[in-house]
Amino acid sequence: MQYINFFTVLLLFLSVSPGQAQSGNGGAPTPKPCRIVVIGSSTAEGVGASTADSAWVYRYRRFLKDLHPANEVINLAKGGYQTCHLMPSGTLLPAGRPRPDTLRNITKALSLRPDAIIVNLPSNDVAAGYGVAEQLSNLDSIIRTGLSAGVPVWVCTTQPRHFSSEKIFSQLLVREAIIARYGNRVIDFWEGIAEPNGLIEMAYNSGDGIHLNNRGHRKLFERVVEKNIPAALISFSQKTKPEQPDAERPGEH
């Protein structure tokens, strides 16, 4: 798909109102089932939580099931993954970068016919030495692929990690760039989870300085719920639905 088509769809995507946030454990039932696929790394996989049920993705799955029993959350995340792992299948990447994982990348996610995709990549790119421009270019490619297939993509920001001050600064730059670039389809996994120095807030640290504990995962879950993705999907569908052809006018064939 040509770039102009991507940016046309992107503008529609960013203009969709996310709806009113659902609060607490409530929320209005979804009018029809939705399927959400999560791609990412260890936080989305559930590392840091004491049990899978306490991890943010599985909390979110349970939450959506309560809204509609046919709602689905499919989790393809795997620990250690970087943006390159999630790039479209067949993407040519610079030497030394990992190849896209065809079992867990954006292409695989789209093959599952989702209504939405969530990307959660907290810090592995910075840990591996990716620059801000490379990270954003890769995210653009992932999002463009989703939008080209008519599937909206929500992007989580970077998360705090016990890095050197230089890498913490890179994490902050990427976070701010993601927020500026992707607007209301950003899920902020930094604010309120990081200390002012960019480290993980002690109350949310699982103990390794990388992953979040049960309380931290709950915080992430609440951030995702606030986006009210099921309601946003209805608006997105209405905005991007192809126009029906007009009834034939007299004299036209």
Side-chain angles (χ1 to χ4, degrees), residues 3 135 168 227:
Y3 283 101
Q135 291 183 63
I168 289 172
K227 286 296 173 179

Side-chain angles (χ1 to χ4, degrees), residues 57-105:
V57 173
Y58 300 97
R59 286 179 180 270
Y60 191 54
R61 175 184 290 165
R62 190 163 61 248
F63 172 81
L64 288 186
K65 285 283 188 183
D66 287 342
L67 297 183
H68 195 301
N71 282 341
E72 295 180 83
V73 175
I74 301 173
N75 193 0
L76 300 181
K78 184 175 181 180
Y81 270 25
Q82 304 158 13
T83 51
C84 286
H85 289 104
L86 307 188
M87 294 280 277
S89 299
T91 300
L92 297 178
L93 295 166
R97 292 299 188 211
R99 303 299 95 182
D101 183 346
T102 57
L103 297 179
R104 298 176 182 273
N105 64 349

Side-chain angles (χ1 to χ4, degrees), residues 89-191:
S89 299
T91 300
L92 297 178
L93 295 166
R97 292 299 188 211
R99 303 299 95 182
D101 183 346
T102 57
L103 297 179
R104 298 176 182 273
N105 64 349
I106 183 67
T107 307
K108 176 63 177 180
L110 289 170
S111 76
L112 299 173
R113 302 179 66 84
D115 297 290
I117 293 171
I118 299 175
V119 180
N120 179 202
L121 291 165
S123 60
N124 290 332
D125 276 29
V126 169
Y130 290 58
V132 174
E134 184 178 5
Q135 291 183 63
L136 293 174
S137 176
N138 290 352
L139 286 173
D140 277 349
S141 180
I142 292 165
I143 294 170
R144 179 168 62 245
T145 302
L147 291 176
S148 295
V151 178
V153 181
W154 273 257
V155 184
C156 304
T157 65
T158 53
Q159 294 168 212
R161 178 167 170 170
H162 290 208
F163 273 143
S164 66
S165 57
E166 180 181 357
K167 288 188 173 181
I168 289 172
F169 182 63
S170 293
Q171 286 281 88
L172 284 166
L173 288 178
V174 174
R175 172 187 178 255
E176 294 305 316
I178 287 173
I179 291 172
R181 207 174 188 91
Y182 307 121
N184 60 10
R185 291 294 168 258
V186 174
I187 306 173
D188 191 352
F189 278 5
W190 185 282
E191 185 66 30

Side-chain angles (χ1 to χ4, degrees), residues 211-224:
H211 302 101
L212 305 182
N213 59 19
N214 290 357
R215 290 182 63 187
H217 273 275
R218 181 174 182 82
K219 194 85 169 175
L220 302 187
F221 155 72
E222 291 169 351
R223 294 287 169 82
V224 179

